[in-house]
Amino acid sequence: MDVEVKVEKLENAASRIKITVEVPAEEFEKAMQQAYLKERGKISVQGFRKGRAPRQIIEKMYGSAVFYEEAANICIDDAYPEAVEQIAYEIVSRPEIDLVQIGKGQSLIFTAEVAVKPEVTLGEYKGVEVTKHEVLVTEADVDAELDKVRRQNSRLITIEDRPVEDGDHVTIDFEGFRDGVPFEGGKGEDYALTIGSHTFIDTFEEQLIGHSIGDDVTVNVTFPENYQPAELAGQPAVFEVKIKNIRMEELPELDDDFAEDVSDFDTLEEYREDIFKKLKEERGTEAKNAMESEAIEKIVAATQMDIPDEMIRNMQQQMKDDYSDSLQRQGLRFEQYLSYMQIEEKDFLEQLKPQATKRVQARLVLEQIAKEEEIEVTEEEIEAEIQKIADAYHMDIDTVREQTQAVVDDIRRDIEVQKAYDIIMEHVVYKEAAE
């Protein structure tokens, strides 16, 4: 379809344009005929079987505008994508369509208001000063990691000859009272509680220490000021608790047998070396991310860009979808999560807005740096990324390549962005962290 396209920037609107599209009269007439063929079965005309009335008869009875809406939709569906290809903007929102001219024998004219990626005017992005993060792993760090693994592989032993101690696992019945009256949700039976986990409010757990199996314990607490339900917030309460069972963790011995059981190594020394190496890699990544974030924040602060709200909202939605997928993998629906957290989806999205804004700002800055540095991505680099996807999902690379064809441009941009990060970090000026 041969269309005429005009573009104008909208005043007092962040990175928004109005596209005016004119569809030739002959193309609109073709759309009118298509509309007639599609809609005629819905129109009854005396003297004709349904769907058999000629177009001229229908238009004479109902007016020529009877097919305008459908014809306009047909034209817009075809003309809008063609118009977008003709303009030098990257659109980031759905179009707001407005009909300007429509009539038999006339060209169809419509406008589409859209948000576009903003122009980005960079400040200085080479020589940014960032705080140097040292990567330090101590023997105590390795010991702490080993202790976590020991706890994960511990077993619980029932204790009958001593009272509750910090760290014990107890089974309790409890009921809560406020002013002597039980309150809703304050009762539980055979509840498993780890002393020192701070699962319960205030000093609840600490008040069980020193008591034995079979003891009835009166526990006095005060609910937090932000507690839900609100009628309990900041209020004192009394719990009547019965201790039914006490168990303690028995940790495995820290020796070569333990290392062989929990790892791919034969000796504890080899396992410790592996833990040290992995901790160093993790902290190195954390340090790198922290320094990159600081550099990007400073570059963003020195950059001029007028970001449309639609880009922020799109990022908020993407972050919400990613979080929802993560919950789904854990067996929890997003709606259930909102219910548990007693929060509306709109409030959840609003909480994401600051981080979403930072992500959009960072991406725009990095893409602009990639453009100004004329960063290029080779086919070999794209192929390597596709191979990573295949490896991650245990798929044949040819299958992934076919399915990934639609997102090759995204892969290319991601590589460009990473190269832009590399350029920034190659030129940063490090300063020592404050004592």
Side-chain angles (χ1 to χ4, degrees), residues 318-330 332-335 348:
Q318 180 182 322
M319 291 171 68
K320 183 222 116 176
D321 291 343
D322 290 344
Y323 193 73
S324 179
D325 290 344
S326 176
L327 291 172
Q328 191 76 38
R329 289 192 292 271
Q330 299 173 50
L332 184 66
R333 289 185 297 109
F334 182 68
E335 293 74 18
F348 178 84

Side-chain angles (χ1 to χ4, degrees), residues 214-379:
D215 284 358
D216 293 312
V217 186
T218 299
V219 174
N220 294 280
V221 297
T222 300
F223 285 97
E225 293 293 337
N226 60 349
Y227 192 78
Q228 293 292 333
E231 57 265 24
L232 293 176
Q235 298 299 310
V238 174
F239 282 87
E240 297 299 337
V241 182
K242 187 173 191 67
I243 298 176
K244 302 177 72 174
N245 187 27
I246 304 172
R247 293 183 297 171
M248 66 170 287
E249 281 185 328
E250 184 180 67
L251 301 177
E253 290 292 327
L254 201 54
D255 53 22
D256 291 345
D257 290 337
F258 169 75
E260 195 170 358
D261 288 340
V262 301
S263 74
D264 296 328
F265 300 97
D266 296 327
T267 68
L268 181 60
E269 186 59 34
E270 290 174 319
Y271 185 35
R272 288 182 67 91
E273 289 174 2
D274 184 65
I275 291 174
F276 181 89
K277 178 182 175 183
K278 287 178 178 176
L279 284 175
K280 194 156 188 176
E281 289 175 354
E282 289 172 8
R283 293 184 184 182
T285 299
E286 290 170 1
K288 178 175 179 287
N289 290 342
M291 290 184 289
E292 286 180 349
S293 294
E294 184 180 352
I296 285 294
E297 285 181 10
K298 290 183 175 180
I299 296 169
V300 165
T303 297
Q304 295 179 11
M305 49 185 165
D306 200 1
I307 301 174
D309 293 339
E310 287 88 345
M311 287 192 76
I312 306 299
R313 287 198 293 269
N314 290 345
M315 181 58 74
Q316 287 171 274
Q317 187 63 43
Q318 180 182 322
M319 291 171 68
K320 183 222 116 176
D321 291 343
D322 290 344
Y323 193 73
S324 179
D325 290 344
S326 176
L327 291 172
Q328 191 76 38
R329 289 192 292 271
Q330 299 173 50
L332 184 66
R333 289 185 297 109
F334 182 68
E335 293 74 18
Q336 290 175 311
Y337 169 81
L338 294 179
S339 177
Y340 294 154
M341 299 301 292
Q342 298 182 339
I343 186 174
E344 298 289 333
E345 182 173 340
K346 62 181 178 61
D347 295 323
F348 178 84
L349 286 168
E350 188 61 26
Q351 290 177 3
L352 295 176
K353 189 172 182 178
Q355 186 62 30
T357 301
K358 286 185 177 181
R359 287 192 183 185
V360 171
Q361 290 171 330
R363 184 77 182 195
L364 288 170
V365 160
L366 289 163
E367 288 180 355
Q368 187 64 28
I369 291 173
K371 185 184 297 183
E372 295 195 10
E373 292 287 335
E374 298 181 348
I375 289 174
E376 295 183 356
V377 177
T378 66
E379 292 304 315

Side-chain angles (χ1 to χ4, degrees), residues 31 66 78 82 99 114 131 151 204 216 270 292 294 326 345 347 359 370 392 423:
V66 66
D78 289 340
E82 185 173 328
L99 278 174
V114 292
T131 305
R151 291 186 179 282
F204 186 103
D216 293 312
E270 290 174 319
E292 286 180 349
E294 184 180 352
S326 176
E345 182 173 340
D347 295 323
R359 287 192 183 185
I423 288 173

Side-chain angles (χ1 to χ4, degrees), residues 6-8 10 16-21 76 79-80 83-84 87 91 93-100 109-116:
K6 296 179 182 177
V7 177
E8 62 179 296
L10 297 178
R16 294 185 69 85
I17 61 172
K18 180 162 72 173
I19 309 168
T20 301
V21 183
I76 292 169
Y80 176 71
V84 168
I87 64 176
I91 294 171
S93 73
R94 293 181 180 277
E96 297 175 13
I97 302 292
D98 185 32
L99 278 174
V100 176
I109 301 176
F110 68 91
T111 61
E113 288 192 17
V114 292
V116 296

